[in-house]
Amino acid sequence: MDPGDINSTHIALIPKCKNPATQKDFRPISLCNVVMKMVSKTIANCIKKILSEIVDGEQSGFVSDRLITDNALVSMECFHWLKKKKGNRGVLALKLDMSKAYDRLEWPFVVEPSRGFTPKRGLRQGDPFSLYLFIICVDVLSSFLKKEALEKRIHGIQVARQEPVITHLIFADESLLFSRATCQETDKIMTTLKSYQLSSGQVVNLDKSEVSFSQNVHKRIEL
């Protein structure tokens, strides 16, 4: 048996609606070899043990010793603070959803390409190893945002003097960003997102993304 056949996969397109008309109306399902699943699960179990040491604390999805509800509670407290915010300096919260997050991830962004490596884009959804690869790649966005915050180009929110400044929270493939409600900071966020999208292949799904403002932001503010 050729070892290369272990990674051979049958792709089945499952319609997501009654009358599919475009490629977006189908969900690809991978039917892979059982041996490949065993190998992948073994690798995933090894990565799982060290993931919390290499991924930023803002990521709470699928990381051992972290609960996704932790970020949910923090975000609820942040939005509660936004509703009560007063003063001259307004802030905003930007909720991002990545379009077809797993399918768009570029392989050169995951690992250095080699002559014998065929895939160029996409992670196999449902594969436990793919899950942790995705979390590690999303950590790059966290690093980008931390760099901008460190250099004072993006300012997060601080709900109390003793509390840490929060610039972003990540829920696996969804992100929540906080900054001052100014043209300068929103432009810097868009530039940062563009850099991440170009290097990773990820694309923000604008239809599922939202923006919220603190109560002291003028309704006619232009971003």
Side-chain angles (χ1 to χ4, degrees):
M1 178 181 178
D2 184 357
D5 294 336
I6 295 178
N7 199 27
S8 296
T9 304
H10 292 283
I11 304 296
L13 297 178
I14 307 299
K16 296 192 291 186
C17 56
K18 291 184 178 180
N19 299 306
T22 65
Q23 184 179 356
K24 293 183 179 180
D25 297 331
F26 293 90
R27 176 178 289 106
I29 302 296
S30 300
L31 307 175
C32 58
N33 192 292
V34 175
V35 177
M36 181 58 195
K37 289 185 177 181
M38 295 173 62
V39 173
S40 179
K41 184 65 175 179
T42 301
I43 297 175
N45 287 337
C46 293
I47 293 181
K48 183 178 181 180
K49 296 178 181 179
I50 63 171
L51 198 63
S52 60
E53 300 176 11
I54 61 177
V55 172
D56 283 347
E58 286 79 6
Q59 173 66 267
S60 65
F62 307 106
V63 180
S64 297
D65 302 325
R66 301 181 194 174
L67 298 176
I68 200 166
T69 51
D70 291 343
N71 270 5
L73 292 173
V74 173
S75 62
M76 289 174 62
E77 185 66 25
C78 290
F79 277 106
H80 177 70
W81 180 82
L82 256 64
K83 291 181 180 179
K84 300 172 63 177
K85 178 75 167 66
K86 297 180 180 180
N88 297 326
R89 181 174 292 167
V91 298
L92 62 83
L94 182 61
K95 182 250 182 188
L96 301 179
D97 180 276
M98 293 297 176
S99 176
K100 295 187 178 296
Y102 278 71
D103 297 334
R104 290 183 179 274
L105 198 59
E106 298 282 353
W107 262 105
F109 184 72
V110 180
V111 65
E112 290 294 327
S114 60
R115 294 182 179 179
F117 204 79
T118 303
K120 297 296 183 182
R121 171 185 286 184
L123 296 177
R124 182 181 289 138
Q125 295 191 49
D127 188 318
F129 183 38
S130 296
L131 172 64
Y132 297 123
L133 275 179
F134 182 80
I135 295 298
I136 293 172
C137 290
V138 174
D139 197 54
V140 174
L141 174 59
S142 180
S143 298
F144 283 177
L145 294 170
K146 281 189 172 182
K147 180 177 183 295
E148 298 302 324
L150 184 64
E151 297 178 357
K152 306 298 182 181
R153 289 194 284 261
I154 294 177
H155 298 79
I157 65 173
Q158 189 177 22
V159 299
R161 292 183 179 180
Q162 297 79 15
E163 300 301 324
V165 176
I166 300 174
T167 55
H168 61 285
L169 299 169
I170 304 178
F171 307 79
D173 59 341
E174 294 186 352
S175 306
L176 190 59
L177 278 56
F178 299 97
S179 76
R180 292 177 181 172
T182 65
C183 295
Q184 292 81 2
E185 295 212 11
T186 51
D187 285 344
K188 179 53 63 176
I189 287 177
M190 296 306 296
T191 301
T192 302
L193 289 175
K194 184 177 180 180
S195 297
Y196 174 69
Q197 290 179 117
L198 288 174
S199 59
S200 69
Q202 297 280 277
V203 174
V204 174
N205 188 339
L206 297 179
D207 292 333
K208 294 184 178 181
S209 298
E210 303 174 9
V211 62
S212 301
F213 298 93
S214 57
Q215 70 167 2
N216 62 331
V217 175
H218 197 284
K219 292 183 179 179
R220 297 184 61 183
I221 187 172
E222 296 183 0
L223 297 177

